[in-house]
Amino acid sequence: MRRFYGVELSSRLMVGTARFPSPAILSQAVRVSGAEVATVSVRRESGADRSGQAFWSIIRELGVRVLPNTAGCRSVKEAVTTAHMAREVFGTKWLKLEVIGEDDTLQPDVFGLVEAARILTAEGFEVFPYTTEDLVVASKLVDAGCQVLMPWGSPIGSGRGLNNLFGLKALRAHFPGIPLVIDAGIGVPSHAAQAMELGFDAVLINTAIARARDPVGMAEAFSAAVEAAMLAYNAGPMETREMAEPSTPVIGKAFLT
Amino acid sequence: MKIIVNGDAHEVPSAASLAGALEQLGFGGAVVATALNGEFVASAARDAVALSEGDQVEVLAPMQGG
């Protein structure tokens, strides 16, 4: 069983908690998804409405393990300070480290990412770096102490699925011992299934569930797809061929012409 | 004296501690993390941190995230 910083997860679906139509739908979708890990963030709180406190009680009631992010951070310092604040608020060493480098694609600044990962790992954080499929960057993140990698499928919130199949397959093949989680860009359950069939260890889904017409129904669909694809990967898919091969025996066919 | 909390100006007593200012601004008992002028201040250190005129305080809480 693959471990994520020593933690075994029976569900390989992780879910984000943003962009849901209501807190009630968020709760129901997380429950139906069967996910044991949910991403969260830290944002400015108002002393008057204390909305973060209400959100936090909803998440605690769900009983999931939280994975705080550093979403929106654009520098190493900002990400490291946000990580310290998140660790205190959520009481976990787990951190989904994001250092964003480009606005249109929300592509990670991989140079800042590696530097921040090195600092935070040394401070005892268990870093889940949001990265690209770049093999050299992945290798430097592992050298920095990351024991899990979270490559993007395609840009955050785009729903475009796995944009670079060749690169993702190469990443899987190069890091057989590292848990790999596809983090961004998955739009429909077939994308998630494709990732799992390629041997990825988990998928993190937010917008595809939260922005579905029926988020609870979509959470159930993702759960079923991830489960089916994990079973398929373990069962060993057939080899593909260029041309047809009869499945019905040729020997013994009647001579009728 | 005036300090800036999450981008908005607030009046707090001179030499107020960070913990005291949080209490006054409605964060009493809340699960929040704080930063003063861009540097993280751990919850246990808030009592000992004295604020100065114009200080920038960030008060963050759990929020939805992807």
Side-chain angles (χ1 to χ4, degrees):
Chain A
M1 181 65 112
R2 191 72 103 184
R3 288 168 177 269
F4 301 79
Y5 287 101
V7 175
E8 275 182 19
L9 300 173
S10 52
S11 168
R12 299 307 182 86
L13 175 60
M14 303 180 180
V15 293
T17 57
R19 312 184 78 182
F20 280 85
S22 73
I25 293 175
L26 162 66
S27 290
Q28 213 185 335
V30 173
R31 282 205 179 89
V32 163
S33 77
E36 295 161 84
V37 175
T39 53
V40 290
S41 72
V42 283
R43 287 290 183 264
R44 284 175 165 178
E45 177 76 314
S46 150
D49 69 18
R50 296 168 62 119
S51 61
Q53 309 306 305
F55 170 72
W56 186 218
S57 28
I58 288 168
I59 297 299
R60 273 183 304 194
E61 275 170 24
L62 289 169
V64 289
R65 183 178 290 272
V66 292
L67 176 57
N69 69 27
T70 61
C73 290
R74 288 167 187 284
S75 69
V76 172
K77 178 176 187 299
E78 203 180 5
V80 167
T81 304
T82 302
H84 289 148
M85 298 177 86
R87 178 166 65 177
E88 184 177 85
V89 159
F90 294 110
T92 176
K93 292 186 282 186
W94 279 21
L95 182 78
K96 180 186 153 186
L97 179 61
E98 296 183 36
V99 184
I100 298 300
E102 206 278 325
D103 283 342
D104 290 331
T105 58
L106 296 179
Q107 181 164 338
D109 165 4
V110 294
F111 304 96
L113 181 69
V114 171
E115 191 184 336
R118 190 174 293 121
I119 293 168
L120 291 167
T121 300
E123 292 181 3
F125 282 87
E126 294 176 339
V127 176
F128 293 62
Y130 164 63
T131 185
T132 67
E133 66 277 12
D134 189 295
L135 296 179
V136 180
V137 172
S139 172
K140 291 193 183 293
L141 288 166
V142 171
D143 289 347
C146 296
Q147 294 176 26
V148 176
L149 298 175
M150 297 185 102
W152 65 350
S154 50
I156 295 170
S158 70
R160 299 176 62 85
L162 307 184
N163 199 33
N164 179 358
L165 272 184
F166 173 82
L168 290 169
K169 284 181 186 173
L171 185 71
R172 179 66 285 176
H174 275 72
F175 296 93
I178 300 283
L180 299 177
V181 184
I182 295 287
D183 181 7
I186 287 179
V188 286
S190 57
H191 297 155
Q194 188 181 24
M196 298 304 292
E197 286 167 3
L198 290 177
F200 284 84
D201 298 288
V203 292
L204 169 54
I205 315 288
N206 189 348
T207 310
I209 293 176
R211 287 299 166 97
R213 180 170 48 78
D214 170 12
V216 177
M218 192 59 83
E220 187 178 4
F222 269 102
S223 175
V226 167
E227 179 67 22
M230 193 169 72
L231 291 171
Y233 178 74
N234 290 337
M238 64 168 280
E239 296 293 324
T240 57
R241 298 168 54 89
E242 291 298 316
M243 294 293 165
E245 182 185 39
S247 48
T248 303
V250 177
I251 296 168
K253 181 182 175 297
F255 187 75
L256 300 172
T257 52
Chain B
M1 66 181 175
K2 194 183 284 180
I3 60 169
I4 310 296
V5 180
N6 289 346
D8 294 325
H10 290 275
E11 199 64 41
V12 295
S14 299
S17 69
L18 179 55
L22 289 178
E23 189 69 34
Q24 182 199 321
L25 295 170
F27 294 108
V31 177
V32 292
T34 49
L36 175 60
N37 299 324
E39 302 295 332
F40 170 59
V41 178
S43 153
R46 286 178 203 150
D47 266 328
V49 170
L51 299 175
S52 307
E53 175 80 27
D55 271 349
Q56 303 265 354
V57 177
E58 292 287 331
V59 183
L60 307 189
M63 214 60 75
Q64 294 85 349

